[in-house]
Amino acid sequence: MEKRQYKEYLQERNGWFYFLYTIPKARLVLNSKGNRKNQIRISLNTKCAKTAKAKGGILLAQHIAMFEANDNTPFNFDSTAKAAETLGFSPYFAPNMQSMSIEDRIAAYSPILSAVNTVGATPPIVQAGAFVGVLDIPELPMSKLYQKLREVAPDMVKNKNETDAANAWKKYETIINFFIEVMGDLDVFKLTSATITKYRTELFNRMERRDFKSERANRYLMTLRLIVRNVLKSYDIEEFQIKDAWAKIERFKGFRDEGKRLPFTEDEVKTLRERVKGSNTLPDQLKAMATISENTGCGVKELSFLCPEDIALDVQIPHIKFRPNKHRKSLKTDERERDIPLLGDALEAMKKFPNGFTEYCDPKGPGRANRVLWSFIKKSAPDKSFISYRHRMATLLRNSKCKDQLQNAVMGHATPGMTGHYGDGVWLEEIKSALEDAAIAATKREQINP
């Protein structure tokens, strides 16, 4: 019988490959006949040397982890859980076995007993802890929460481009670090409602001192709750009877302190319109963005990421399409995917850039555009920003004759209740009519306050 040895863990017999592993002397166990079994041989079910090396490498890593573990490994939740998985069974908490049926206990113990018979009666302490279910409550300092979040919840930044994803991760890291600054490096699993309420009170006190506004306070509170819950989902916390300490924690409500989200007044819009037209420093593409937003309420990022195929000018109702394209994987919400008619000055502005705003369509483009526009706007409206165009449009629509469904279609908002789940989208001619009504409302307002 032909028998060739390739490496210490591979053997070939009659063209078939086998995995070989020599058990360390300190871990030798007796087989069913009372003899010491010093070698493990497993068929790899292949005659391909390349495939055998790949499969054998995986088995070698598993057997090294199984038989060459030592007592220098820290004994904690993570190391014990990892040892259990390496040995071929799910980590478990021994007291919970008492509530299981006999059948379920037998099913749970079967792979554990098989692993015991494989590795021997005197395993290292970490493996022994895994065998008998001595898993303590996990430990996760807040200082390691961000790292864990990135590991277990990559979908927190799904559908974002590289720049937006990096900004989102940075925001999460900042929120976690702020909690540590205020409350200390506490164990995530030992947070109580009392501790979080104390943190909420500190956020309120800082709002009272005007250190920051309610929007940031809610972000520091509610986004942290989202972060913690996403991480805890990766552990079987019910097994350890860990309660949700955030269940009764509420966001801050009723604060009207976000000046930057106020709409432009008609006086401010008139002043800005004249300044935009007469400016020698504001880039032409940003002039067009400001004009289009004034008449549609569209945002900087929406406009920056337009592609040529999203701009329909030679049609009965000229319009722009906000949808996923090569510049963006998705929009902020499903409702933001919509078509917006172009009227008057907005149409003329878009005609100048039929291929889109190419200076700002890269991932960092909206940020650059926002910074320049904010600097320009604050000279006329110090407490406002570009988003004030959007909030002004919402105000005009609300005070015009259009229905709520039309307002939502323009702004890209969801229609509440079951009504929004029936039928197709709002027709383009109806959205055009809503924007015309908004323009009429603006004119009336200007006449009332000349």
Side-chain angles (χ1 to χ4, degrees):
M1 180 182 293
E2 184 183 3
K3 177 178 176 181
R4 287 189 288 177
Q5 202 85 6
Y6 281 76
K7 289 186 177 180
E8 63 176 9
Y9 63 91
L10 282 185
Q11 182 186 82
E12 183 185 5
R13 281 188 174 184
N14 297 328
W16 291 95
F17 284 91
Y18 297 81
F19 167 75
L20 291 178
Y21 178 78
T22 302
I23 301 172
K25 290 182 179 180
R27 301 296 299 278
L28 290 177
V29 296
L30 297 178
N31 61 21
S32 59
K33 296 181 180 180
N35 301 319
R36 289 185 181 275
K37 180 182 177 182
N38 62 1
Q39 197 172 65
I40 293 173
R41 187 162 73 98
I42 301 172
S43 174
L44 298 175
N45 296 315
T46 182
K47 290 186 176 183
C48 174
K50 185 176 180 180
T51 302
K53 288 178 182 179
K55 288 185 173 182
I58 295 171
L59 285 172
L60 180 63
Q62 292 174 346
H63 282 73
I64 287 175
M66 189 181 298
F67 286 99
E68 299 179 30
N70 55 62
D71 285 331
N72 294 327
T73 304
F75 183 67
N76 54 38
F77 176 88
D78 289 334
S79 63
T80 309
K82 184 177 180 180
E85 291 169 359
T86 301
L87 292 165
F89 59 89
S90 299
Y92 74 102
F93 187 46
N96 289 344
M97 286 286 191
Q98 298 174 6
S99 60
M100 295 171 63
S101 67
I102 297 296
E103 292 80 3
D104 289 341
R105 281 194 226 181
I106 292 173
Y109 277 129
S110 180
I112 299 172
L113 293 174
S114 177
V116 170
N117 291 332
T118 300
V119 302
T122 57
I125 187 170
V126 172
Q127 291 186 348
F131 285 139
V132 298
V134 185
L135 271 70
D136 194 4
I137 292 177
E139 292 182 1
L140 183 62
M142 289 293 295
S143 56
K144 294 185 178 180
L145 180 61
Y146 174 70
Q147 178 184 350
K148 191 69 177 178
L149 177 71
R150 298 204 61 160
E151 176 188 331
V152 303
D155 57 328
M156 291 279 282
V157 295
K158 66 180 178 181
N159 295 328
K160 294 183 182 293
N161 62 42
E162 184 177 346
T163 299
D164 289 344
N167 290 338
W169 286 125
K170 184 64 178 177
K171 177 184 73 174
Y172 299 142
E173 186 177 24
T174 298
I175 289 169
I176 294 168
N177 288 339
F178 182 81
F179 180 91
I180 295 172
E181 175 190 325
V182 174
M183 304 298 295
D185 193 10
L186 305 179
D187 187 338
V188 174
F189 289 96
K190 293 181 173 63
L191 291 178
T192 63
S193 295
T195 302
I196 300 169
T197 299
K198 184 178 179 181
Y199 173 61
R200 188 181 187 279
T201 301
E202 178 58 28
L203 289 173
F204 176 81
N205 291 339
R206 297 199 181 204
M207 282 194 295
E208 290 285 285
R209 297 200 304 264
R210 298 180 183 271
D211 292 350
F212 46 68
K213 297 178 180 178
S214 60
E215 182 182 41
R216 185 188 297 185
N218 275 321
R219 188 163 66 247
Y220 282 177
L221 182 66
M222 305 311 288
T223 304
L224 183 62
R225 180 176 76 166
L226 176 67
I227 291 170
V228 171
R229 284 180 166 177
N230 269 281
V231 170
L232 291 184
K233 283 192 298 186
S234 67
Y235 295 86
D236 190 4
I237 60 173
E238 292 182 358
E239 186 171 1
F240 300 96
Q241 300 178 349
I242 297 174
K243 295 181 179 179
D244 182 3
W246 299 81
K248 296 182 180 181
I249 303 299
E250 296 183 353
R251 65 187 297 109
F252 295 103
K253 300 177 183 178
F255 290 84
R256 299 182 179 275
D257 55 4
E258 292 302 317
K260 287 189 177 182
R261 294 193 176 276
L262 293 172
F264 286 129
T265 65
E266 293 311 304
D267 284 344
E268 290 169 338
V269 165
K270 184 178 180 180
T271 300
L272 278 169
R273 188 186 307 134
E274 293 172 354
R275 286 187 59 223
V276 166
K277 289 180 179 179
S279 176
N280 294 321
T281 57
L282 190 65
D284 288 342
Q285 291 194 8
L286 296 187
K287 287 183 178 182
M289 282 191 196
T291 301
I292 294 170
S293 186
E294 177 191 337
N295 292 277
T296 63
C298 299
V300 168
K301 184 177 288 188
E302 290 180 321
L303 294 170
S304 295
F305 288 160
L306 285 172
C307 287
E309 57 268 26
D310 299 327
I311 302 168
L313 300 177
D314 298 325
V315 293
Q316 184 176 359
I317 302 179
H319 61 279
I320 47 181
K321 300 175 181 292
F322 296 121
R323 57 188 180 181
N325 57 30
K326 66 180 181 180
H327 299 314
R328 57 179 157 224
K329 295 180 181 178
S330 65
L331 285 95
K332 187 174 182 180
T333 63
D334 291 341
E335 291 76 26
R336 288 292 181 93
E337 190 170 333
R338 64 203 192 282
D339 294 351
I340 297 295
L342 297 171
L343 309 173
D345 290 343
L347 176 57
E348 295 306 312
M350 196 72 255
K351 284 181 177 179
K352 295 178 182 178
F353 303 99
N355 293 320
F357 302 107
T358 53
E359 293 296 318
Y360 304 97
C361 62
D362 61 281
K364 295 184 179 180
R368 293 197 307 274
N370 252 323
R371 286 190 291 273
V372 175
L373 287 164
W374 177 79
S375 180
F376 184 86
I377 289 170
K378 74 175 184 178
K379 294 177 182 178
S380 300
D383 59 342
K384 309 290 175 66
S385 64
F386 193 86
I387 201 173
S388 296
Y389 280 126
R390 179 173 174 81
H391 288 269
R392 167 185 175 263
M393 178 55 65
T395 300
L396 293 176
L397 291 167
R398 192 173 295 124
N399 287 279
S400 71
K401 297 178 181 179
C402 80
K403 302 176 183 177
D404 288 346
Q405 289 90 338
L406 289 175
Q407 178 183 331
N408 291 336
V410 174
M411 305 306 295
H413 290 162
T415 299
M418 290 302 298
T419 306
H421 295 282
Y422 288 92
D424 207 345
V426 178
W427 295 330
L428 195 61
E429 53 264 36
E430 295 299 322
I431 300 176
K432 176 176 178 288
S433 177
L435 289 174
E436 289 171 339
D437 288 342
I440 293 172
T443 301
K444 288 182 178 179
R445 192 65 180 171
E446 190 174 332
Q447 290 172 349
I448 293 173
N449 299 300

